[in-house]
């Protein structure tokens, strides 16, 4: 009876995490819209932005690299729970990719909080370096999210997890977020704008994935 009762809890948690992930990102972006540095900014510009608007920067970091990170770990755990029940290698790979993405987001949170706390316009080098480290970590996280999307789609053959249209969104996400990841890893201002496509897809798809885990629990 205990094992039977546990599955709906896991599914419900995954669904809530999927929705919360999207909400956290939207609130985070709204809280610091135009008030945080961008890839391509100089160390002086990065440091001045953090020094002038520390509250907005911290609020965004806590939401998109804190709350959202926990949500990714929960969704990843839901996939691992499904992998145990179905012996699906693809679901297991997706689950671990979700967990890795969540852990990388936590690393970003710590680095960004240190950068904001130590922002001193008179000595911008350290803050600039920390900001770059956050962006490069974001690139690696995006690769993990690409693996999550691709593996979850692979685990959905014959509609066993995601519906056909949800699989299509997942494959498009995997492709676009890989391009974004390359851009952030290399700090390329030519490629980072791909995030304007991959981020909305990510928020929609993680919510869809969480709901699918509840539906298939």
């Amino acid at each position: 009876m205990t094992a039977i009762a546990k599955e709906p809890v896991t599914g419900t948690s995954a669904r809530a995490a999927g929705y919360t992930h999207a909400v956290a990102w939207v609130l985070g972006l709204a809280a610091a819209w135009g008030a945080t540095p961008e890839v391509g900014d100089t160390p002086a510009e990065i440091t001045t932005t953090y020094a002038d608007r520390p509250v907005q920067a911290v609020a965004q970091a806590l939401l998109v690299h804190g709350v959202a990170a926990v949500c990714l770990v929960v969704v990843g755990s839901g996939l691992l729970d499904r992998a145990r029940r179905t012996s699906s290698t693809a679901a297991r790979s997706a689950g671990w990719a979700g967990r890795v993405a969540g852990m990388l987001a936590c690393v970003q949170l710590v680095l960004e909080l240190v950068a904001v706390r130590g922002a001193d316009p008179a000595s911008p080098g350290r803050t600039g370096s920390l900001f770059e480290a956050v962006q490069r970590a974001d690139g690696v996280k995006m690769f993990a999210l690409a693996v999550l999307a691709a593996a979850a789609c692979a685990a959905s053959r014959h509609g066993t997890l995601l519906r056909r249209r949800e699989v299509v969104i997942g494959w498009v996400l995997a492709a676009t977020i890989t391009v974004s990841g390359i851009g952030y890893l290399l700090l390329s201002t030519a490629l980072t704008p791909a995030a304007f496509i991959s981020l909305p897809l990510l928020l929609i798809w993680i919510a869809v994935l969480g709901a699918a885990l509840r539906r298939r629990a």
Side-chain angles (χ1 to χ4, degrees):
M1 293 297 291
T2 302
I4 294 174
K6 185 179 178 181
E7 289 186 7
V9 173
T10 301
T12 301
S13 299
R15 181 176 62 181
Y19 294 153
T20 303
H21 178 267
V23 172
W25 262 99
V26 171
L27 291 177
L29 293 174
W33 187 261
T36 51
E38 301 287 343
V39 173
D41 288 353
T42 65
E45 290 171 334
I46 293 165
T47 305
T48 299
T49 300
Y50 277 153
D52 289 348
R53 302 177 181 88
V55 175
Q56 294 98 315
V58 169
Q60 185 183 72
L62 289 173
L63 286 164
V64 306
H65 296 148
V67 175
V70 174
C71 293
L72 287 173
V73 171
V74 172
V75 171
S77 297
L79 284 162
L80 289 174
D81 181 69
R82 177 176 177 79
R84 284 190 290 270
R85 299 196 314 267
T86 62
S87 300
S88 169
T89 301
R92 184 176 300 107
S93 298
W96 279 111
R99 283 188 171 183
V100 168
M103 287 184 267
L104 285 168
C106 289
V107 171
Q108 289 180 275
L109 173 61
V110 173
L111 291 174
E112 196 160 8
L113 292 178
V114 173
V116 174
R117 180 180 175 83
D120 180 3
S123 181
R126 179 171 177 268
T127 299
S129 296
L130 286 169
F131 176 79
E132 288 188 1
V134 171
Q135 305 315 306
R136 293 186 193 278
D138 208 13
V140 179
K141 182 181 74 179
M142 290 177 187
F143 293 149
L145 290 169
V147 173
L148 165 61
C153 289
S156 300
R157 289 180 225 171
H158 311 299
T160 55
L161 177 58
L162 298 167
R163 299 184 178 106
R164 182 174 299 179
R165 63 180 178 275
E166 296 167 345
V167 171
V168 171
I169 294 172
W171 284 119
V172 175
L173 169 62
T176 56
I177 206 166
T178 297
V179 176
S180 301
I182 294 171
Y184 277 86
L185 186 63
L186 301 180
L187 302 180
S188 167
T189 55
L191 295 178
T192 52
F196 286 106
I197 299 173
S198 62
L199 179 57
L201 286 174
L202 175 68
L203 303 189
I204 293 168
W205 192 79
I206 291 295
V208 164
L209 178 59
L213 288 167
R214 174 64 184 90
R215 187 171 65 242
R216 300 297 185 179

